[in-house]
């Protein structure tokens, strides 16, 4: 209750400054309490969220790349089916002088590669260094007959490294073929 002599209990300008200082003090006390309880500084949470955002952006980009690869594989498969319908006898021949997607290749073992798996080389005439990707081959068959669905041209790196899994001379161009086993 005011005594009637128009005393100002609080100066409005000073009240804002006092409130700001009180909030700053309470904020500091809460931060210290959080840190004592094992919490992290707020800036750490922001940095972690930014890192998650970057990782999620990378995942989105990889998903887009995967979808594109799937679409390309489906288009190649559809073209292969269409080609078989148009020329049914041509698909029954084993290629030995040309290795394109859709061709049928015969792959023979050449020995043991890394990890104890056999290394397979395409049966060929003047088309050397066509190796079979054994990622989808089960066991160690005596030969593999398959329709080529993907091929990747590479250049051999240093002997004994992942860049040269077949022991070729450095700089030799070679191809790794992925097949649909027939």
């Amino acid at each position: 209750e005011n005594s009637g002599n128009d005393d100002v209990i609080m100066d409005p300008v000073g009240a804002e400054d006092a409130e700001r200082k009180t909030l700053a003090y309470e904020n500091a006390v809460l931060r210290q309490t959080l840190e004592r309880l094992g919490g992290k500084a707020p800036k750490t949470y922001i940095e972690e969220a930014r890192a998650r955002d970057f990782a999620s952006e990378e995942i989105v980009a990889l998903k887009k790349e995967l979808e594109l690869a799937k679409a390309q594989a489906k288009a190649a498969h559809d073209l292969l089916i269409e080609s078989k319908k148009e020329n049914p006898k041509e698909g029954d021949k084993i290629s030995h002088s040309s290795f394109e997607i859709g061709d049928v290749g015969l792959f023979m073992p050449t020995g043991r590669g890394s990890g104890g798996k056999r290394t397979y080389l395409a049966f060929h005439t003047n088309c050397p260094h066509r190796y079979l990707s054994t990622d989808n081959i089960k066991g160690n068959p005596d030969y593999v007959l398959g329709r080529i669905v993907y091929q990747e041209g590479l250049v051999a790196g240093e002997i004994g490294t992942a860049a040269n899994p077949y022991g070729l001379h450095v700089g030799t161009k070679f191809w790794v073929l992925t097949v649909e086993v027939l």
Side-chain angles (χ1 to χ4, degrees), residues 50-99:
R50 285 186 182 146
R52 279 193 306 271
D53 287 346
F54 176 75
S56 66
E57 288 173 7
E58 188 175 350
I59 290 170
V60 167
L62 288 172
K63 284 182 179 180
K64 285 180 183 177
E65 186 178 336
L66 177 62
E67 290 301 318
L68 178 63
K70 283 181 180 180
Q72 289 173 342
K74 182 173 178 2
H77 181 70
D78 293 345
L79 285 173
L80 182 62
I81 298 294
E82 185 179 316
S83 173
K84 283 182 186 179
K85 288 177 184 175
E86 291 174 4
N87 303 314
K89 295 210 178 224
E90 283 188 23
D92 296 335
K93 296 178 184 174
I94 296 175
S95 295
H96 65 90
S97 60
S98 168
F99 295 93

Side-chain angles (χ1 to χ4, degrees), residues 116-129:
K117 285 191 111 178
R118 281 182 164 175
T119 299
Y120 293 87
L121 181 65
F123 177 77
H124 67 89
T125 302
N126 296 325
C127 286
H129 311 300

Side-chain angles (χ1 to χ4, degrees), residues 130-141:
R130 271 27 179 223
Y131 293 91
L132 177 65
S133 169
T134 56
D135 292 342
N136 60 344
I137 306 298
K138 292 185 176 33
N140 290 308

Side-chain angles (χ1 to χ4, degrees), residues 31 34-45 48 52:
R31 284 177 192 241
L34 275 175
E35 288 176 10
R36 270 197 311 271
L37 294 173
K40 303 175 204 166
K43 197 171 203 171
T44 305
Y45 290 105
E48 288 175 356
R52 279 193 306 271

Side-chain angles (χ1 to χ4, degrees), residues 19-32:
E19 185 175 344
R20 185 181 52 76
K21 288 180 180 178
T22 302
L23 288 174
Y25 171 77
E26 289 174 352
N27 191 8
V29 170
L30 287 171
R31 284 177 192 241
Q32 290 172 356

Side-chain angles (χ1 to χ4, degrees), residues 99-171:
F99 295 93
E100 301 298 327
I101 293 177
D103 291 348
V104 175
L106 175 63
F107 298 87
M108 305 299 289
T110 62
R112 298 279 176 196
S114 61
K117 285 191 111 178
R118 281 182 164 175
T119 299
Y120 293 87
L121 181 65
F123 177 77
H124 67 89
T125 302
N126 296 325
C127 286
H129 311 300
R130 271 27 179 223
Y131 293 91
L132 177 65
S133 169
T134 56
D135 292 342
N136 60 344
I137 306 298
K138 292 185 176 33
N140 290 308
D142 292 330
Y143 66 91
V144 175
L145 184 66
R147 186 171 313 280
I148 300 168
V149 294
Y150 179 76
Q151 69 176 325
E152 181 177 12
L154 303 166
V155 177
E158 292 294 321
I159 294 176
T161 65
N164 190 351
Y166 306 110
L168 302 171
H169 293 289
V170 174

